[in-house]
mmCIF file of all heavy atoms in Angstrom:
data_model
loop_
_atom_site.group_PDB
_atom_site.id
_atom_site.type_symbol
_atom_site.label_atom_id
_atom_site.label_comp_id
_atom_site.label_asym_id
_atom_site.label_seq_id
_atom_site.Cartn_x
_atom_site.Cartn_y
_atom_site.Cartn_z
ATOM 1 N N VAL A 311 37.708 7.312 27.670
ATOM 2 C CA VAL A 311 37.782 8.778 27.628
ATOM 3 C C VAL A 311 37.555 9.286 26.207
ATOM 4 O O VAL A 311 36.786 10.228 25.978
ATOM 5 C CB VAL A 311 39.141 9.263 28.157
ATOM 6 C CG1 VAL A 311 39.268 10.779 28.013
ATOM 7 C CG2 VAL A 311 39.317 8.868 29.612
ATOM 8 N N ALA A 312 38.197 8.658 25.237
ATOM 9 C CA ALA A 312 38.107 9.146 23.861
ATOM 10 C C ALA A 312 36.704 9.028 23.303
ATOM 11 O O ALA A 312 36.302 9.808 22.426
ATOM 12 C CB ALA A 312 39.099 8.381 22.973
ATOM 13 N N GLN A 313 35.918 8.060 23.786
ATOM 14 C CA GLN A 313 34.579 7.856 23.249
ATOM 15 C C GLN A 313 33.552 8.858 23.765
ATOM 16 O O GLN A 313 32.439 8.926 23.230
ATOM 17 C CB GLN A 313 34.095 6.440 23.570
ATOM 18 C CG GLN A 313 34.734 5.374 22.702
ATOM 19 C CD GLN A 313 34.221 3.986 23.042
ATOM 20 O OE1 GLN A 313 33.601 3.774 24.076
ATOM 21 N NE2 GLN A 313 34.490 3.044 22.170
ATOM 22 N N ILE A 314 33.898 9.648 24.765
ATOM 23 C CA ILE A 314 32.931 10.598 25.315
ATOM 24 C C ILE A 314 32.445 11.589 24.261
ATOM 25 O O ILE A 314 31.236 11.827 24.146
ATOM 26 C CB ILE A 314 33.533 11.325 26.534
ATOM 27 C CG1 ILE A 314 33.690 10.341 27.697
ATOM 28 C CG2 ILE A 314 32.652 12.500 26.964
ATOM 29 C CD1 ILE A 314 34.363 10.926 28.907
ATOM 30 N N PRO A 315 33.331 12.214 23.439
ATOM 31 C CA PRO A 315 32.810 13.106 22.396
ATOM 32 C C PRO A 315 31.866 12.411 21.420
ATOM 33 O O PRO A 315 30.860 12.989 20.995
ATOM 34 C CB PRO A 315 34.089 13.596 21.685
ATOM 35 C CG PRO A 315 35.171 13.428 22.678
ATOM 36 C CD PRO A 315 34.811 12.222 23.475
ATOM 37 N N MET A 316 32.174 11.155 21.059
ATOM 38 C CA MET A 316 31.293 10.419 20.157
ATOM 39 C C MET A 316 29.927 10.188 20.797
ATOM 40 O O MET A 316 28.875 10.379 20.158
ATOM 41 C CB MET A 316 31.921 9.081 19.787
ATOM 42 C CG MET A 316 31.050 8.203 18.916
ATOM 43 S SD MET A 316 31.538 6.464 18.958
ATOM 44 C CE MET A 316 31.015 6.013 20.618
ATOM 45 N N THR A 317 29.913 9.779 22.068
ATOM 46 C CA THR A 317 28.652 9.517 22.757
ATOM 47 C C THR A 317 27.784 10.765 22.810
ATOM 48 O O THR A 317 26.574 10.717 22.543
ATOM 49 C CB THR A 317 28.930 9.013 24.182
ATOM 50 O OG1 THR A 317 29.742 7.837 24.110
ATOM 51 C CG2 THR A 317 27.646 8.697 24.909
ATOM 52 N N LEU A 318 28.397 11.902 23.124
ATOM 53 C CA LEU A 318 27.628 13.141 23.215
ATOM 54 C C LEU A 318 27.142 13.608 21.848
ATOM 55 O O LEU A 318 26.013 14.099 21.713
ATOM 56 C CB LEU A 318 28.491 14.232 23.871
ATOM 57 C CG LEU A 318 28.915 13.963 25.313
ATOM 58 C CD1 LEU A 318 29.755 15.114 25.836
ATOM 59 C CD2 LEU A 318 27.695 13.756 26.200
ATOM 60 N N SER A 319 27.963 13.442 20.823
ATOM 61 C CA SER A 319 27.544 13.884 19.490
ATOM 62 C C SER A 319 26.389 13.051 18.953
ATOM 63 O O SER A 319 25.540 13.559 18.202
ATOM 64 C CB SER A 319 28.728 13.827 18.517
ATOM 65 O OG SER A 319 29.155 12.486 18.314
ATOM 66 N N LEU A 352 25.778 18.322 12.107
ATOM 67 C CA LEU A 352 25.926 18.770 13.484
ATOM 68 C C LEU A 352 26.728 17.767 14.313
ATOM 69 O O LEU A 352 27.626 18.145 15.076
ATOM 70 C CB LEU A 352 24.543 18.973 14.109
ATOM 71 C CG LEU A 352 24.513 19.432 15.573
ATOM 72 C CD1 LEU A 352 25.349 20.689 15.760
ATOM 73 C CD2 LEU A 352 23.080 19.672 16.021
ATOM 74 N N ALA A 353 26.433 16.468 14.167
ATOM 75 C CA ALA A 353 27.163 15.454 14.932
ATOM 76 C C ALA A 353 28.647 15.454 14.580
ATOM 77 O O ALA A 353 29.503 15.305 15.460
ATOM 78 C CB ALA A 353 26.554 14.078 14.676
ATOM 79 N N SER A 354 28.965 15.626 13.305
ATOM 80 C CA SER A 354 30.367 15.659 12.889
ATOM 81 C C SER A 354 31.091 16.865 13.475
ATOM 82 O O SER A 354 32.239 16.760 13.928
ATOM 83 C CB SER A 354 30.460 15.680 11.367
ATOM 84 O OG SER A 354 29.864 14.535 10.803
ATOM 85 N N CYS A 355 30.429 18.000 13.481
ATOM 86 C CA CYS A 355 31.035 19.208 14.047
ATOM 87 C C CYS A 355 31.331 19.023 15.535
ATOM 88 O O CYS A 355 32.421 19.344 16.018
ATOM 89 C CB CYS A 355 30.100 20.398 13.828
ATOM 90 S SG CYS A 355 30.749 21.979 14.418
ATOM 91 N N LEU A 356 30.386 18.451 16.256
ATOM 92 C CA LEU A 356 30.565 18.267 17.696
ATOM 93 C C LEU A 356 31.664 17.257 18.009
ATOM 94 O O LEU A 356 32.486 17.472 18.906
ATOM 95 C CB LEU A 356 29.242 17.822 18.320
ATOM 96 C CG LEU A 356 28.096 18.846 18.301
ATOM 97 C CD1 LEU A 356 26.824 18.232 18.858
ATOM 98 C CD2 LEU A 356 28.480 20.095 19.077
ATOM 99 N N VAL A 357 31.678 16.137 17.278
ATOM 100 C CA VAL A 357 32.676 15.111 17.592
ATOM 101 C C VAL A 357 34.080 15.570 17.208
ATOM 102 O O VAL A 357 35.058 15.223 17.877
ATOM 103 C CB VAL A 357 32.327 13.778 16.895
ATOM 104 C CG1 VAL A 357 32.690 13.787 15.414
ATOM 105 C CG2 VAL A 357 33.051 12.619 17.590
ATOM 106 N N LEU A 358 34.201 16.351 16.166
ATOM 107 C CA LEU A 358 35.518 16.856 15.786
ATOM 108 C C LEU A 358 36.055 17.840 16.820
ATOM 109 O O LEU A 358 37.259 17.874 17.092
ATOM 110 C CB LEU A 358 35.453 17.498 14.402
ATOM 111 C CG LEU A 358 35.381 16.507 13.235
ATOM 112 C CD1 LEU A 358 35.083 17.229 11.930
ATOM 113 C CD2 LEU A 358 36.683 15.721 13.110
ATOM 114 N N LEU A 359 35.172 18.644 17.393
ATOM 115 C CA LEU A 359 35.607 19.540 18.465
ATOM 116 C C LEU A 359 36.130 18.729 19.651
ATOM 117 O O LEU A 359 37.183 19.047 20.229
ATOM 118 C CB LEU A 359 34.444 20.430 18.903
ATOM 119 C CG LEU A 359 34.719 21.388 20.068
ATOM 120 C CD1 LEU A 359 35.861 22.345 19.741
ATOM 121 C CD2 LEU A 359 33.460 22.162 20.429
ATOM 122 N N GLY A 360 35.403 17.661 20.001
ATOM 123 C CA GLY A 360 35.875 16.798 21.084
ATOM 124 C C GLY A 360 37.157 16.067 20.733
ATOM 125 O O GLY A 360 38.044 15.896 21.585
ATOM 126 N N MET A 361 37.266 15.620 19.489
ATOM 127 C CA MET A 361 38.472 14.919 19.045
ATOM 128 C C MET A 361 39.697 15.821 19.154
ATOM 129 O O MET A 361 40.768 15.381 19.601
ATOM 130 C CB MET A 361 38.299 14.439 17.610
ATOM 131 C CG MET A 361 39.452 13.575 17.104
ATOM 132 S SD MET A 361 39.560 13.556 15.305
ATOM 133 C CE MET A 361 40.287 15.176 14.996
ATOM 134 N N CYS A 362 39.552 17.074 18.752
ATOM 135 C CA CYS A 362 40.671 18.023 18.863
ATOM 136 C C CYS A 362 41.146 18.130 20.314
ATOM 137 O O CYS A 362 42.353 18.126 20.593
ATOM 138 C CB CYS A 362 40.239 19.403 18.374
ATOM 139 S SG CYS A 362 39.827 19.495 16.628
ATOM 140 N N THR A 363 40.199 18.220 21.227
ATOM 141 C CA THR A 363 40.542 18.354 22.638
ATOM 142 C C THR A 363 41.255 17.114 23.156
ATOM 143 O O THR A 363 42.257 17.202 23.880
ATOM 144 C CB THR A 363 39.268 18.619 23.460
ATOM 145 O OG1 THR A 363 38.598 19.772 22.936
ATOM 146 C CG2 THR A 363 39.600 18.842 24.920
ATOM 147 N N VAL A 364 40.759 15.929 22.783
ATOM 148 C CA VAL A 364 41.365 14.685 23.255
ATOM 149 C C VAL A 364 42.782 14.534 22.725
ATOM 150 O O VAL A 364 43.711 14.194 23.471
ATOM 151 C CB VAL A 364 40.493 13.480 22.844
ATOM 152 C CG1 VAL A 364 41.226 12.173 23.111
ATOM 153 C CG2 VAL A 364 39.179 13.501 23.606
ATOM 154 N N VAL A 365 42.978 14.766 21.447
ATOM 155 C CA VAL A 365 44.307 14.602 20.859
ATOM 156 C C VAL A 365 45.278 15.636 21.421
ATOM 157 O O VAL A 365 46.430 15.325 21.749
ATOM 158 C CB VAL A 365 44.236 14.708 19.325
ATOM 159 C CG1 VAL A 365 45.634 14.668 18.717
ATOM 160 C CG2 VAL A 365 43.394 13.567 18.755
ATOM 161 N N ALA A 366 44.820 16.883 21.556
ATOM 162 C CA ALA A 366 45.711 17.944 22.020
ATOM 163 C C ALA A 366 46.082 17.796 23.491
ATOM 164 O O ALA A 366 47.205 18.118 23.897
ATOM 165 C CB ALA A 366 45.063 19.308 21.778
ATOM 166 N N CYS A 367 45.152 17.293 24.310
ATOM 167 C CA CYS A 367 45.349 17.311 25.766
ATOM 168 C C CYS A 367 45.344 15.921 26.385
ATOM 169 O O CYS A 367 45.066 15.780 27.586
ATOM 170 C CB CYS A 367 44.259 18.165 26.426
ATOM 171 S SG CYS A 367 44.082 19.822 25.740
ATOM 172 N N ALA A 368 45.649 14.887 25.619
ATOM 173 C CA ALA A 368 45.579 13.514 26.138
ATOM 174 C C ALA A 368 46.439 13.292 27.382
ATOM 175 O O ALA A 368 45.970 12.678 28.358
ATOM 176 C CB ALA A 368 45.951 12.526 25.037
ATOM 177 N N ILE A 371 44.737 15.073 30.374
ATOM 178 C CA ILE A 371 43.470 14.421 30.744
ATOM 179 C C ILE A 371 43.737 13.138 31.517
ATOM 180 O O ILE A 371 43.134 12.874 32.566
ATOM 181 C CB ILE A 371 42.642 14.125 29.473
ATOM 182 C CG1 ILE A 371 42.180 15.428 28.814
ATOM 183 C CG2 ILE A 371 41.436 13.258 29.815
ATOM 184 C CD1 ILE A 371 41.512 15.225 27.465
ATOM 185 N N MET A 393 45.356 6.866 23.536
ATOM 186 C CA MET A 393 44.182 7.724 23.421
ATOM 187 C C MET A 393 44.251 8.618 22.195
ATOM 188 O O MET A 393 43.266 8.815 21.476
ATOM 189 C CB MET A 393 44.046 8.572 24.688
ATOM 190 C CG MET A 393 42.736 9.348 24.793
ATOM 191 S SD MET A 393 42.716 10.420 26.253
ATOM 192 C CE MET A 393 42.920 9.214 27.569
ATOM 193 N N ARG A 394 45.428 9.162 21.932
ATOM 194 C CA ARG A 394 45.577 10.047 20.777
ATOM 195 C C ARG A 394 45.354 9.301 19.464
ATOM 196 O O ARG A 394 44.692 9.814 18.546
ATOM 197 C CB ARG A 394 46.977 10.669 20.792
ATOM 198 C CG ARG A 394 47.095 11.850 21.736
ATOM 199 C CD ARG A 394 48.500 12.386 21.816
ATOM 200 N NE ARG A 394 48.511 13.754 22.318
ATOM 201 C CZ ARG A 394 49.571 14.361 22.822
ATOM 202 N NH1 ARG A 394 50.726 13.691 22.905
ATOM 203 N NH2 ARG A 394 49.490 15.605 23.247
ATOM 204 N N TYR A 396 43.643 6.425 19.094
ATOM 205 C CA TYR A 396 42.266 5.965 19.043
ATOM 206 C C TYR A 396 41.311 7.093 18.650
ATOM 207 O O TYR A 396 40.334 6.872 17.929
ATOM 208 C CB TYR A 396 41.866 5.397 20.405
ATOM 209 C CG TYR A 396 40.497 4.768 20.418
ATOM 210 C CD1 TYR A 396 40.298 3.463 19.999
ATOM 211 C CD2 TYR A 396 39.381 5.489 20.846
ATOM 212 C CE1 TYR A 396 39.045 2.893 20.003
ATOM 213 C CE2 TYR A 396 38.126 4.926 20.855
ATOM 214 C CZ TYR A 396 37.967 3.628 20.434
ATOM 215 O OH TYR A 396 36.715 3.077 20.426
ATOM 216 N N ALA A 397 41.594 8.321 19.110
ATOM 217 C CA ALA A 397 40.716 9.455 18.821
ATOM 218 C C ALA A 397 40.627 9.776 17.339
ATOM 219 O O ALA A 397 39.657 10.399 16.886
ATOM 220 C CB ALA A 397 41.186 10.692 19.591
ATOM 221 N N LEU A 398 41.608 9.350 16.559
ATOM 222 C CA LEU A 398 41.575 9.619 15.127
ATOM 223 C C LEU A 398 40.411 8.914 14.433
ATOM 224 O O LEU A 398 40.017 9.299 13.328
ATOM 225 C CB LEU A 398 42.894 9.186 14.475
ATOM 226 C CG LEU A 398 44.151 9.904 14.991
ATOM 227 C CD1 LEU A 398 45.395 9.345 14.304
ATOM 228 C CD2 LEU A 398 44.043 11.405 14.773
ATOM 229 N N LEU A 400 37.321 8.763 15.795
ATOM 230 C CA LEU A 400 36.059 9.202 16.379
ATOM 231 C C LEU A 400 35.069 9.705 15.336
ATOM 232 O O LEU A 400 33.858 9.484 15.455
ATOM 233 C CB LEU A 400 36.320 10.300 17.417
ATOM 234 C CG LEU A 400 36.973 9.846 18.720
ATOM 235 C CD1 LEU A 400 37.158 11.027 19.660
ATOM 236 C CD2 LEU A 400 36.138 8.770 19.391
ATOM 237 N N LEU A 401 35.549 10.384 14.302
ATOM 238 C CA LEU A 401 34.629 10.837 13.258
ATOM 239 C C LEU A 401 33.990 9.640 12.564
ATOM 240 O O LEU A 401 32.776 9.634 12.311
ATOM 241 C CB LEU A 401 35.372 11.712 12.243
ATOM 242 C CG LEU A 401 34.528 12.212 11.057
ATOM 243 C CD1 LEU A 401 33.353 13.047 11.546
ATOM 244 C CD2 LEU A 401 35.375 13.020 10.084
ATOM 245 N N THR A 404 31.325 8.139 14.838
ATOM 246 C CA THR A 404 30.099 8.944 14.858
ATOM 247 C C THR A 404 29.309 8.782 13.567
ATOM 248 O O THR A 404 28.075 8.650 13.585
ATOM 249 C CB THR A 404 30.455 10.424 15.081
ATOM 250 O OG1 THR A 404 31.086 10.565 16.357
ATOM 251 C CG2 THR A 404 29.215 11.296 15.047
ATOM 252 N N PRO A 494 34.597 21.246 8.711
ATOM 253 C CA PRO A 494 35.088 21.071 10.089
ATOM 254 C C PRO A 494 36.343 20.222 10.187
ATOM 255 O O PRO A 494 37.111 20.372 11.143
ATOM 256 C CB PRO A 494 33.901 20.397 10.793
ATOM 257 C CG PRO A 494 33.116 19.748 9.719
ATOM 258 C CD PRO A 494 33.268 20.641 8.522
ATOM 259 N N ALA A 498 39.522 21.293 12.225
ATOM 260 C CA ALA A 498 39.988 20.421 13.300
ATOM 261 C C ALA A 498 41.501 20.216 13.242
ATOM 262 O O ALA A 498 42.164 20.148 14.284
ATOM 263 C CB ALA A 498 39.278 19.073 13.228
ATOM 264 N N ALA A 501 43.073 23.389 14.669
ATOM 265 C CA ALA A 501 42.795 23.523 16.103
ATOM 266 C C ALA A 501 43.583 22.504 16.926
ATOM 267 O O ALA A 501 44.043 22.811 18.031
ATOM 268 C CB ALA A 501 41.299 23.360 16.356
ATOM 269 N N THR A 502 43.764 21.284 16.405
ATOM 270 C CA THR A 502 44.510 20.263 17.133
ATOM 271 C C THR A 502 45.968 20.644 17.292
ATOM 272 O O THR A 502 46.555 20.515 18.383
ATOM 273 C CB THR A 502 44.396 18.909 16.417
ATOM 274 O OG1 THR A 502 43.020 18.533 16.324
ATOM 275 C CG2 THR A 502 45.159 17.830 17.154
ATOM 276 N N LEU A 519 45.613 21.592 30.552
ATOM 277 C CA LEU A 519 44.307 21.194 30.013
ATOM 278 C C LEU A 519 43.425 22.406 29.771
ATOM 279 O O LEU A 519 42.761 22.511 28.735
ATOM 280 C CB LEU A 519 43.629 20.234 30.991
ATOM 281 C CG LEU A 519 42.225 19.753 30.606
ATOM 282 C CD1 LEU A 519 42.248 19.024 29.272
ATOM 283 C CD2 LEU A 519 41.653 18.855 31.695
ATOM 284 N N GLY A 522 44.819 24.289 26.724
ATOM 285 C CA GLY A 522 44.587 23.538 25.496
ATOM 286 C C GLY A 522 43.140 23.567 25.069
ATOM 287 O O GLY A 522 42.830 23.755 23.876
ATOM 288 N N CYS A 523 42.213 23.392 26.013
ATOM 289 C CA CYS A 523 40.783 23.409 25.675
ATOM 290 C C CYS A 523 40.358 24.776 25.147
ATOM 291 O O CYS A 523 39.630 24.869 24.139
ATOM 292 C CB CYS A 523 39.952 23.046 26.904
ATOM 293 S SG CYS A 523 40.049 21.325 27.390
ATOM 294 N N VAL A 526 41.703 25.230 21.608
ATOM 295 C CA VAL A 526 40.956 24.446 20.623
ATOM 296 C C VAL A 526 39.637 25.123 20.281
ATOM 297 O O VAL A 526 39.263 25.256 19.104
ATOM 298 C CB VAL A 526 40.717 23.019 21.155
ATOM 299 C CG1 VAL A 526 39.658 22.304 20.318
ATOM 300 C CG2 VAL A 526 42.007 22.223 21.148
ATOM 301 N N ILE A 527 38.904 25.565 21.295
ATOM 302 C CA ILE A 527 37.618 26.226 21.048
ATOM 303 C C ILE A 527 37.818 27.530 20.299
ATOM 304 O O ILE A 527 37.088 27.848 19.346
ATOM 305 C CB ILE A 527 36.894 26.470 22.390
ATOM 306 C CG1 ILE A 527 36.529 25.141 23.035
ATOM 307 C CG2 ILE A 527 35.639 27.312 22.180
ATOM 308 C CD1 ILE A 527 35.988 25.276 24.450
ATOM 309 N N PHE A 530 38.814 26.425 16.636
ATOM 310 C CA PHE A 530 37.882 25.589 15.880
ATOM 311 C C PHE A 530 36.575 26.322 15.548
ATOM 312 O O PHE A 530 36.123 26.298 14.402
ATOM 313 C CB PHE A 530 37.580 24.315 16.676
ATOM 314 C CG PHE A 530 36.678 23.350 15.965
ATOM 315 C CD1 PHE A 530 37.186 22.465 15.024
ATOM 316 C CD2 PHE A 530 35.313 23.324 16.219
ATOM 317 C CE1 PHE A 530 36.356 21.579 14.361
ATOM 318 C CE2 PHE A 530 34.473 22.441 15.573
ATOM 319 C CZ PHE A 530 34.997 21.563 14.635
ATOM 320 N N VAL A 531 35.961 26.944 16.539
ATOM 321 C CA VAL A 531 34.643 27.552 16.319
ATOM 322 C C VAL A 531 34.696 28.673 15.285
ATOM 323 O O VAL A 531 33.904 28.690 14.332
ATOM 324 C CB VAL A 531 34.047 28.037 17.657
ATOM 325 C CG1 VAL A 531 32.748 28.797 17.419
ATOM 326 C CG2 VAL A 531 33.788 26.845 18.583
#
Side-chain angles (χ1 to χ4, degrees):
V311 176
Q313 284 180 346
I314 291 176
M316 177 200 71
T317 303
L318 297 180
S319 65
L352 179 54
S354 300
C355 182
L356 293 176
V357 78
L358 284 170
L359 177 59
M361 186 202 76
C362 295
T363 304
V364 170
V365 175
C367 307
I371 293 173
M393 189 184 300
R394 279 176 160 161
Y396 186 83
L398 299 178
L400 288 181
L401 178 60
T404 298
T502 301
L519 178 60
C523 288
V526 166
I527 295 172
F530 183 82
V531 174

